[in-house]
Each structure stands twice: as structure tokens, then as C-alpha cells.
Amino acid sequence: MSYTESIGSRTYRFADLKTLLAKASPQRSGDQLASIAAASEEERVAAKMALAEVPLRTFLNEPLIPYETDEVTRLIIDDHSPAAFAEISHLTVGDFRNWLLSTTTDTDALTRITEGLTPEMVAAVSKLMRNQDLITAARKRPVITCFRNTVGLPGRMSVRLQPNHPTDDVKGIAASMLDGLMYGCGDALIGINPASDNLAAITKLLQMIDDFRQRYQVPTQSCVLTHVTSTIAAMEKGAPVDLVFQSIAGTEKANASFGISLALLQEAYEAGLSLQRGTVGSNLMYFETGQGSALSADAHFGVDQQTCEARAYAVARKFKPFLVNTVVGFIGPEYLYDGKQITRAGLEDHFCGKLLGVPMGCDICYTNHAEADQDDMDNLLTLLGVAGINFIMGVPGADDVMLNYQSTSFHDALYVRDVLGLRRAPEFEEWLESMQIIDARGALIGASARQPLLEGARDWMGIA
């Protein structure tokens, strides 16, 4: 089905729904690289006007990627709930935007329709929304998950403590981990990106974190972010695996480039459940995504990068994850050119994930060759804090020495919690207070009070 829209004497024609979605997208370098972006701002406006008139039902009848050739499309269509969709089934994309922003549409309403939404629907409506609209709607849709603590409660924001090391040195990682804990970070998880997929090294890191967790009774969860097949192998060897990690994308071909399928993710999910390591819940999958991954794998099929990203959240939703993280500026300026594009993408991803019932966090980041700096990250951090982000990253000095990119620091987490009055996961906050790391208000206690724990942990780990 084709779509048309006139502006003055000029008429714009869009060959099909995926073309319309691409042309309606805010400007970004990835869509320009793929030669699917609007050629002018006028064409972009025309596409938005045409998109606003598209009935939501159309997305069920006109798949962007054929059902027969893509298992992600099959997942989206087969898992769609007509009953949940009924409440909004009469709306166009433009009407849906108005419904989302209405003061009478609350958390209960957004929760009711979750299973009736497809990624393409939420990607479409996001293209009609200003940044403040994305923040307003996402804030109304908390997504709460549990493993050893509870993440995503309103008024709270968690932090992934990311103590990476370029050679996987256990003492170096332990030192960064202790540093982050002394700043009150780590309630989302303690998560290490390993420098290699060596099973022995992965197991050693998992064991170190778990030994520390048990010794000090820390109510958090750990993860070594290796390929899911390596995690399965580690579980088979008896390693203390909490969260099961995998990078995912929004098409079958893009996921194949990661060496995964829905069947493999199901196997990993069931293996993780069999360990029964959660204490307050059983959400145990940890997924990372990022706009541009499908295009970089030549697996986007002409679909714009933001819609491909939203389709990845359908994959995530299938496995009831504990955390989902859009690593928003990591792939590089070929896909998100500058701070403005990175900011917009982060807000879009958070909005789309939350509407789909996914526990969204964001690695607020950029590579050193992007037209962005730490001020841009401060802006996005603040906006996402207002929007109700589930978690962010905590990287020593905001500079990841293993992955070579810029993210958010332990101090950044203190900043956003302070100015927005955000607390940590309740179980983790109670532990921090019992360890005299924070006071009853959630503020850090003086260094002298924390010194006994710090010195004891250093001695135990052999850190000078």
C-alpha cells in the first residue's frame, strides 16, 4: 500500500509503510547511510503528516519484514494480543499520540495495552513526538523487575557497576568494583565486559564477584557479558551465573550475525531459571541493544534504524528480562552523528521499550570520534532521569579503559539522584545503610565511616 501527502503544490508519495516510517524519522546519520532518510525537512514533515493518519491496525496487516522469512516478525505477530489491543484498535497513529499524552491515560491504562502493542506501532508514534512527549509518556509506564533486589520502582534509579579491565585482571576489576560500591553504585548489577571469551577467565571473574557478594551479603546480581553460548558452558561447569547476557537485534538476520536465534535464547533462559539463584524474583536475562546494529550487519531490509531497534524489544520482552540496556552512542557517528542525535535516540529507545513493557536502562555514551561531549551526556542523563529510566552505567571516571568509549561515572549517578531525588533499589539501599556507606536519606557518609569495610575488603582481595 502506498501513501501520499501534499504540502502546497508539491505531493509526496511513499511506496510502502516502511518507506513512510523511514522518511518520518528524525534526522540521523544511519538512515542517511542506508539511503532511506527523507531528502528534505519538507519531505520529513509530509511523511509525519501521512503517518499520523495511518490506522494502528495497518501494522498488523502490513509487516515491514515478511512473516515467512523472519522469526522476529513471526514472534511479533504470533504474540500479539487482540484483547489488549481492543482498547486502542480504533486509533490512528496521531490519535494514539494524543491518547498517550492525555492526562486521563495513566499507568494502569498503559499496562493494560502493553501486549496489544507491536514495536512498529510504538516506533511510529515516537516519530510524531517531541522530546518532552517521549519523557511524559515513558514516565507514566514504570516496569518493575526482581532478582536479588527490585529495580524500576517509581522514584528510584539503579546503576550497573561496570568495572572493566583491558586484561581481565581480577585485582584491577575488584579495585574498581569496590570504588563503585563506596559510591553507592551496583544495585542494577555488577557487570563486567570481559576482554576475551575464555571460559576459565569468565568463571574466575564470576567466582570473585560471587565470593564477595556472599561474604558481605550484598543484595545484588552479577554478570560477565560474554556470548550466551559461553554463559551456558559456564553454567554447565557449575559457575555461579546470576544474569544471562546477550546482545540482540530486531531482525532474524541481524541476530544470526550475533550467533543467536530465539531457540538459543530460550535454551539459555531455561538454563538460568534452573539454577534458582534469584531470591526476590526470577527475572534473569540481561539484553543489550543499539540503534544501527541491523544496518551494520546489512540486515535491516530497508527498515529505519529506530524501528529495527524497537523490534529488538519484542525479542527481549519474550524472555521476561531483568534489564535491557540501549547502548545508545556506542556504535558510532555513522549511525548517530552527534549529541543531538544521540539524545533523541536515547529518549526514543526508553519510550519504546517502556511502552512494550521492557525494563529499559541506557548506557549514556559516545565514542571519541562522534560530534558529542560530556555535556551532551549530562543533558541526556538528566532527561532520562526525569523520564524514569530504570538504570544507567557507573564506569570509573566515565572512561571505559577496555571498551574505549565514554559513558557515565559514579559521580554522575550521585548527581542525578541528588537533583531529582531518586533512590536506589530498596534492598540494596538498606544494605548500604547497614554498611555505613549511606545515611537514612541516601546520602554518602564520610570516608572515615566507610574505611573499615573498604580496608577489610581490600585485605581479603589482596589489593594494595
Side-chain angles (χ1 to χ4, degrees):
M1 178 178 176
S2 63
Y3 302 85
T4 62
E5 187 67 43
S6 296
I7 296 181
S9 60
R10 189 187 300 270
T11 298
Y12 291 91
R13 292 179 174 82
F14 308 99
D16 51 27
L17 188 55
K18 70 180 176 183
T19 300
L20 180 63
L21 287 167
K23 301 293 187 182
S25 293
Q27 184 180 26
R28 60 204 53 194
S29 52
D31 291 339
Q32 292 171 321
L33 180 66
S35 300
I36 60 174
S40 67
E41 286 303 316
E42 184 174 280
E43 184 182 26
R44 183 171 288 112
V45 170
K48 289 177 184 288
M49 292 169 64
L51 181 60
E53 299 303 317
V54 174
L56 292 180
R57 288 185 180 277
T58 303
F59 294 95
L60 300 174
N61 301 323
E62 192 177 337
L64 305 186
I65 301 171
Y67 181 95
E68 297 77 14
T69 61
D70 186 271
E71 68 173 2
V72 177
T73 298
R74 292 195 291 275
L75 171 67
I76 291 167
I77 298 300
D78 293 349
D79 281 8
H80 180 259
S81 169
F85 182 58
E87 186 171 347
I88 56 169
S89 62
H90 61 290
L91 300 178
T92 65
V93 176
D95 294 333
F96 185 39
R97 172 190 176 274
N98 295 338
W99 184 86
L100 288 170
L101 297 176
S102 170
T103 55
T104 60
T105 300
D106 57 11
T107 299
D108 288 342
L110 293 177
T111 303
R112 282 197 307 271
I113 67 166
T114 296
E115 299 299 325
L117 295 174
T118 69
E120 292 84 357
M121 292 176 193
V122 298
V125 75
S126 76
K127 298 176 192 300
L128 305 184
M129 301 176 86
R130 296 168 56 186
N131 286 1
Q132 68 172 246
D133 298 339
L134 298 172
I135 293 168
T136 299
R139 187 176 176 85
K140 292 194 281 187
R141 182 54 173 103
V143 179
I144 300 164
T145 55
C146 303
F147 190 74
R148 285 201 192 92
N149 60 29
T150 307
V151 170
L153 292 165
R156 296 180 183 267
M157 185 201 73
S158 297
V159 176
R160 169 190 162 188
L161 174 47
Q162 184 172 307
N164 293 345
H165 192 280
T167 64
D168 290 341
D169 180 76
V170 174
K171 288 186 178 181
I173 289 170
S176 293
M177 181 180 75
L178 288 174
D179 189 27
L181 288 168
M182 292 304 108
Y183 281 102
C185 295
D187 49 340
L189 78 157
I190 300 171
I192 302 165
N193 296 93
S196 77
D197 258 357
N198 179 275
L199 186 57
I202 292 165
T203 302
K204 189 174 183 180
L205 294 175
L206 286 168
Q207 193 65 60
M208 181 273 290
I209 301 173
D210 201 59
D211 288 349
F212 179 87
R213 179 189 65 80
Q214 293 193 59
R215 179 180 180 89
Y216 291 98
Q217 299 181 312
V218 190
T220 190
Q221 36 284 320
S222 65
C223 184
V224 173
L225 283 67
T226 186
H227 193 271
V228 67
T229 54
S230 297
T231 303
I232 292 171
M235 286 190 276
E236 290 173 347
K237 294 289 187 181
V241 173
D242 289 342
L243 303 186
V244 178
F245 168 80
Q246 183 55 49
S247 294
I248 58 173
T251 72
E252 180 178 347
K253 184 178 178 183
N255 283 325
S257 76
F258 290 147
I260 62 166
S261 64
L262 296 180
L264 179 59
L265 293 177
Q266 183 68 34
E267 178 186 347
Y269 176 54
E270 292 174 2
L273 285 175
S274 72
L275 299 181
Q276 298 183 321
R277 291 177 59 83
T279 55
V280 297
S282 59
N283 302 113
L284 56 83
M285 300 299 283
Y286 175 25
F287 295 119
E288 286 192 345
T289 67
Q291 288 194 29
S293 58
L295 175 58
S296 67
D298 190 26
H300 63 105
F301 303 98
V303 178
D304 69 273
Q305 67 181 43
Q306 188 253 332
T307 302
C308 282
E309 171 73 4
R311 284 169 56 94
Y313 306 150
V315 176
R317 180 169 65 176
K318 176 71 174 177
F319 301 101
K320 301 177 177 61
F322 183 64
L323 306 167
V324 176
N325 176 31
T326 171
V327 193
V328 68
F330 183 75
I331 301 181
E334 299 85 356
Y335 306 98
L336 296 170
Y337 180 73
D338 56 16
K340 183 175 182 178
Q341 291 187 16
I342 291 171
T343 297
R344 173 70 189 190
L347 294 175
E348 288 170 347
D349 294 351
H350 178 250
F351 163 83
C352 290
K354 284 293 183 66
L355 254 64
L356 292 168
V358 171
M360 289 302 297
C362 184
D363 191 340
I364 301 161
C365 63
Y366 64 101
T367 56
N368 288 317
H369 61 310
E371 292 295 321
D373 59 27
Q374 210 63 43
D375 286 339
D376 295 310
M377 301 305 103
D378 286 348
N379 294 341
L380 180 54
L381 170 63
T382 306
L383 294 172
L384 286 171
V386 174
I389 193 80
N390 278 32
F391 70 104
I392 63 168
M393 303 300 111
V395 177
D399 185 359
D400 193 300
V401 295
M402 197 283 283
L403 293 173
N404 292 310
Y405 78 117
Q406 308 301 309
S407 185
T408 46
S409 69
F410 307 144
H411 293 83
D412 293 331
L414 292 176
Y415 147 74
V416 76
R417 281 172 168 155
D418 181 49
V419 298
L420 297 179
L422 299 171
R423 305 295 291 255
R424 300 164 180 87
E427 301 89 345
F428 190 77
E429 192 165 78
E430 290 176 10
W431 177 80
L432 290 173
E433 189 175 351
S434 73
M435 293 288 105
Q436 294 186 291
I437 297 173
I438 63 170
D439 62 22
R441 299 173 296 112
L444 289 181
I445 294 175
S448 60
R450 289 176 279 155
Q451 199 64 26
L453 171 63
L454 183 59
E455 292 299 329
R458 281 174 173 168
D459 290 344
W460 178 66
M461 291 180 170
I463 303 170

